[in-house]
Amino acid sequence: MTDTNHVVIVGRLTRDLGTDERSFGYIANGQARANISIAVNRSRKQGDTWVDEANFFDVTIWGKTAENLKPYLTKGKQILVDGHLKQDRWEKDGQKFSRVSIVADNVQLLGGRSDNVGGQSAGGYTPRLQNSTGTQPMQNSMPSYNDSGFGGDDGGYPEDIPF
């Protein structure tokens, strides 16, 4: 029977990806590898006051995910990492060392427009829709469900739902 090793964590990147060889590169078989560090802030109550504490976690992202996310992984960007823990053990000069890191299975970019690179949204697409007068572009708006792209007519339902 296999035990469970699963972690989901949300935090902010502590540095830009690709600033040095250790943060982004390719291994011998050509597979991309990205090593990032994220800070996770947590508030806890200590007596009558709230105290903020930060924890730092090393994360490894592999393959196409690492390549595709490289331009978006900049310092301060909030991300969600879904993955598993991996323990590395080694010995140096007779002393044993151990380190636990997160291997990402899935990475999602979070945050709003202020977190974007080059004015693009996290997915690299910024919707540009017109308002009801058809003149001014609106940012970050979604089309209404009575749009012809969703089946044509409004199905007899009023736009204002009373609940």
Side-chain angles (χ1 to χ4, degrees):
M1 181 171 152
T2 303
D3 295 327
T4 301
N5 178 358
H6 186 238
V7 63
V8 176
I9 195 162
V10 175
R12 294 191 180 271
L13 290 156
T14 61
R15 65 182 180 273
D16 291 346
L17 179 64
T19 56
D20 59 13
E21 281 184 25
R22 293 177 52 186
S23 69
F24 185 85
Y26 293 90
I27 61 173
N29 68 2
Q31 186 178 27
R33 177 214 20 88
N35 290 326
I36 61 172
S37 179
I38 60 173
V40 177
N41 295 320
R42 180 174 178 259
S43 295
R44 60 181 175 85
K45 196 163 189 176
Q46 187 175 23
D48 291 338
T49 61
W50 286 92
V51 178
D52 291 332
E53 67 179 30
N55 293 290
F56 299 90
F57 298 95
D58 294 327
V59 179
T60 303
I61 307 168
W62 290 98
K64 287 288 186 189
T65 304
E67 290 177 332
N68 293 338
L69 289 176
K70 186 178 178 185
Y72 303 103
L73 296 180
T74 57
K75 183 177 180 177
K77 179 69 179 170
Q78 188 178 39
I79 64 170
L80 178 142
V81 175
D82 182 355
H84 59 275
L85 299 175
K86 180 179 184 292
Q87 183 179 25
D88 294 318
R89 296 179 184 181
W90 67 96
E91 189 173 325
K92 181 177 178 183
D93 299 331
Q95 192 173 8
K96 294 182 180 182
F97 295 92
S98 175
R99 182 180 92 141
V100 175
S101 62
I102 300 170
V103 177
D105 297 323
N106 184 24
V107 176
Q108 293 181 20
L109 302 175
L110 303 175
R113 186 163 171 79
S114 63
D115 288 344
N116 297 337
V117 176
Q120 293 182 340
S121 66
Y125 170 72
T126 303
R128 297 187 185 275
L129 302 173
Q130 291 184 345
N131 64 10
S132 59
T133 63
T135 56
Q136 299 291 328
M138 293 174 22
Q139 295 293 323
N140 297 329
S141 298
M142 296 304 295
S144 64
Y145 286 104
N146 64 359
D147 187 15
S148 62
F150 289 101
D153 65 348
D154 63 4
Y157 296 104
E159 288 183 23
D160 295 322
I161 299 175
F163 53 86

